[in-house]
Amino acid sequence: MLTNEYLQRVYAQCEKRNGGESEFLQAVREVLESLEPLMEKHPEYESAGLLERLVEPERFVQFRVPWVDDSGKIQVNRGYRVQFNSAIGPYKGGLRLHPSVNASVIKFLGFEQTFKNSLTGLPMGGGKGGSDFDPKGKSDMEIMRFCQSFMTELYRHIGQFTDVPAGDIGVGAREVGYLFGQYKRLRNEYSGVLTGKGLSYGGSLARTEATGYGLCYFTQEALRCMRDDSFEGKTVVISGSGNVAQFACQKAQQLGGKVVAMSDSSGYVYDPAGIDLELMLDVKGARRARISVYAEERPGAVYTPGCSGIWSIPCDIALPCATQNEINEESAKLLVKNGCTVVCEGANMPSTPEAIEVYLANNVLYGPAKAANAGGVATSGLEMSQNSLRLSWTFEEVDARLQEIMKNIFHNAENAAKECGKPGNLMVGANVAGFLKVADAMLSQGVV
Ligand code: NDP
Ligand code: 2IT
């Protein structure tokens, strides 16, 4: 509920301007609601028009992406880049390739990224991009031709000091490689314009693992400080089986958890003996196959079509790592009923507002995406640092910095929640802590 008159006005205007963009409005509403406790103390936000500016992207580009498929047919996709906020650094955020991508999805992701990047403590603004291109079933050459066409427009908007894209759904090492090659060719310049690069051309060790590992480091610290507990002996359910899910699974297992289920967009596998990660990496990584193949090749594992059923599996810890709004009110209630006490988000905005209410009403330890999945972009920030220094740090060095950053994010969110009179509410804490730094920078820089 928005009760503050200024916040209500900002939201109403945003709703009017972005009618029908449900994901974007959902993300804005959550942040504005979290800012309620700040409003009385900070009349300067209203006089500086700060929140009106915060919810309006600095720049939004949409472009045609024509490419030729293997049969010689011309295909046309739609490309996007939103440069949401550059108050604290160059725009930074991933590129998503998925048929569900539209302006609303890109804007919600760019808006969230602004606060997430602020929470990392590194100097990065918020941005996001992508296309409704579906990489599934495409040949490597089709992926390359798409990426080259996409970059042929995107290159004029980005740069190492302007906007630094990276991966997200459907964009991993292969795609970043093709994008980087085309940028270098068009600009005749070798710079750290993308992160998530291969190790042979400027990538950082541990970037591949960073989001999933960071999610577990955050969860581990939250468990330790708020519950005097750990992953040891816990049953864990992880949705998705892509980059974030794979390395969340690996770290959760290393920390003593038992991961019993994972999913893809077709269905989920339940493996009571604990996920065999080597097989999962082979099926979903190397072979780019469907997750059902895992159950075919793993004795005792069961495949069920449809993805939301994964939340009916009893667990102590749920780590949603697939996509937005994948846990609704019903799934959240089921999780709680079956004994789940921890939900930490690897995906961006995987819980609907109604699901979050269920967590808060049932004393679930809820780690919101902006805080819990910030390890990926934080390590992208470390990749940018290494590129600027023209040095590469060891895996151990990057991993140690990542652990430190995730612990700091947890403590900053926890402290901010306390200071706002909402102790234990990490959603409010993350939104407020992320916001304060951006707001301070925006106030200092005048009306821009
Ligand atoms: P990947 O493309 O590597 O994997 C995505 C996974 O989620 C796949 O298993 C995919 O299934 C599943 N999935 C995608 N869309 C849907 C959908 N609409 N319904 C059900 N399942 C779906 O992406 P990432 O692992 O990189 O990203 C996962 C989430 O984590 C996203 O929300 C992303 O924004 C977020 N994130 C990623 C970061 C990163 O560094 N990569 C950093 C921070 C957050 P299938 O195989 O069938 O396509
Ligand atoms: O949502 C995210 O934080 C990402 N997809 C990672 C962005 C990045 O720039 O590494």
Side-chain angles (χ1 to χ4, degrees):
M1 260 278 283
L2 285 170
T3 56
N4 176 276
E5 192 267 333
Y6 174 45
L7 292 175
Q8 283 174 347
R9 203 156 17 90
V10 170
Y11 184 74
Q13 172 68 21
C14 189
E15 204 173 20
K16 202 166 145 207
R17 260 204 189 123
N18 304 282
E21 297 192 348
S22 59
E23 293 88 358
F24 177 50
L25 292 170
Q26 181 183 335
V28 167
R29 193 175 178 95
E30 182 202 289
V31 169
L32 294 184
E33 284 180 357
S34 293
L35 298 181
E36 290 261 3
L38 294 182
M39 298 320 291
E40 226 166 83
K41 266 194 285 174
H42 292 281
E44 71 275 21
Y45 294 155
E46 182 167 359
S47 49
L50 190 106
L51 296 177
E52 293 89 326
R53 289 188 279 140
L54 192 76
V55 301
E56 186 64 21
E58 290 176 18
R59 189 171 295 106
F60 180 84
V61 284
Q62 183 191 304
F63 47 95
R64 178 168 69 202
V65 190
W67 56 282
V68 182
D69 71 18
D70 285 347
S71 70
K73 193 165 175 285
I74 292 161
Q75 302 284 347
V76 177
N77 285 100
R78 184 173 277 186
Y80 303 91
R81 186 75 184 167
V82 68
Q83 299 181 328
F84 220 105
N85 192 299
S86 63
I88 65 169
Y91 310 106
K92 178 87 196 86
L95 296 171
R96 176 177 291 192
L97 300 182
H98 193 273
S100 64
V101 164
N102 57 33
S104 172
V105 168
I106 294 299
K107 279 158 67 180
F108 113 67
L109 289 164
F111 182 72
E112 293 263 300
Q113 198 81 46
T114 302
F115 307 96
K116 183 197 302 192
N117 293 2
S118 167
L119 283 169
T120 66
L122 300 172
M124 301 182 290
K128 201 84 187 189
S131 172
D132 58 3
F133 173 80
D134 186 359
K136 266 201 205 77
K138 304 289 191 297
S139 70
D140 284 353
M141 287 301 103
E142 287 177 323
I143 299 282
M144 183 184 78
R145 288 195 291 275
F146 171 83
C147 288
Q148 290 182 340
S149 179
F150 185 83
M151 186 54 85
T152 300
E153 170 61 31
L154 187 69
Y155 89 98
R156 67 190 80 242
H157 307 290
I158 64 176
Q160 62 170 328
F161 301 121
T162 310
D163 183 355
V164 182
D168 193 79
I169 292 178
V171 176
R174 174 181 61 171
E175 292 73 20
V176 169
Y178 295 146
L179 292 163
F180 182 80
Q182 184 73 350
Y183 181 89
K184 178 168 66 69
R185 180 186 188 198
L186 290 166
R187 281 258 196 237
N188 192 25
E189 170 189 300
Y190 204 108
S191 65
V193 66
L194 288 151
T195 60
K197 299 186 291 298
L199 297 178
S200 56
Y201 62 96
S204 173
L205 285 160
R207 174 62 188 90
T208 307
E209 293 83 355
T211 310
Y213 277 21
L215 171 64
C216 290
Y217 295 147
F218 178 93
T219 308
Q220 183 185 32
E221 186 70 359
L223 271 168
R224 190 179 70 81
C225 298
M226 298 173 78
R227 298 286 156 86
D228 192 22
D229 208 342
S230 74
F231 268 97
E232 195 61 50
K234 299 291 185 301
T235 300
V236 184
V237 164
I238 300 179
S239 65
S241 48
N243 172 265
V244 179
Q246 290 165 7
F247 292 99
C249 176
Q250 185 169 72
K251 188 52 72 181
Q253 289 178 342
Q254 287 171 4
L255 294 173
K258 182 176 183 188
V259 181
V260 295
M262 291 177 77
S263 63
D264 66 12
S265 57
S266 309
Y268 67 94
V269 291
Y270 173 55
D271 187 345
I275 293 286
D276 174 347
L277 189 60
E278 205 179 320
L279 176 60
M280 185 60 79
L281 290 175
D282 184 46
V283 170
K284 290 303 295 184
R287 286 194 261 166
R288 294 184 192 274
R290 306 310 298 156
I291 206 167
S292 52
V293 172
Y294 174 93
E296 286 162 19
E297 298 182 11
R298 169 87 168 158
V302 182
Y303 173 73
T304 309
C307 12
S308 68
I310 194 170
W311 308 119
S312 67
I313 297 172
C315 65
D316 304 302
I317 300 175
L319 304 176
C321 295
T323 194
Q324 62 272 6
N325 292 327
E326 54 173 312
I327 304 183
N328 61 15
E329 182 177 12
E330 195 190 332
S331 297
K333 283 184 174 160
L334 207 50
L335 279 168
V336 169
K337 181 169 149 255
N338 289 331
C340 174
T341 58
V342 180
V343 179
C344 287
E345 299 178 331
N348 285 305
M349 205 167 77
S351 307
T352 64
E354 296 75 24
I356 296 172
E357 274 178 35
V358 173
Y359 307 150
L360 298 179
N362 288 279
N363 195 30
V364 169
L365 197 176
Y366 169 53
K370 286 181 191 78
N373 76 28
V377 75
T379 308
S380 282
L382 300 178
E383 183 171 328
M384 290 166 75
S385 304
Q386 292 167 82
N387 291 163
S388 297
L389 290 166
R390 299 183 187 282
L391 283 174
S392 309
W393 298 331
T394 62
F395 187 96
E396 290 68 28
E397 179 157 6
V398 179
D399 188 47
R401 285 179 193 259
L402 171 63
Q403 292 188 44
E404 205 50 42
I405 289 170
M406 297 316 296
K407 282 186 194 165
N408 286 340
I409 292 174
F410 166 73
H411 290 288
N412 289 341
E414 198 197 24
N415 289 337
K418 226 176 271 162
E419 278 165 28
C420 288
K422 306 259 180 188
N425 187 330
L426 299 177
M427 173 181 73
V428 168
N431 285 333
V432 166
F435 166 80
L436 284 172
K437 183 174 163 192
V438 175
D440 186 61
M442 285 177 73
L443 287 174
S444 307
Q445 292 170 25
V447 181
V448 289

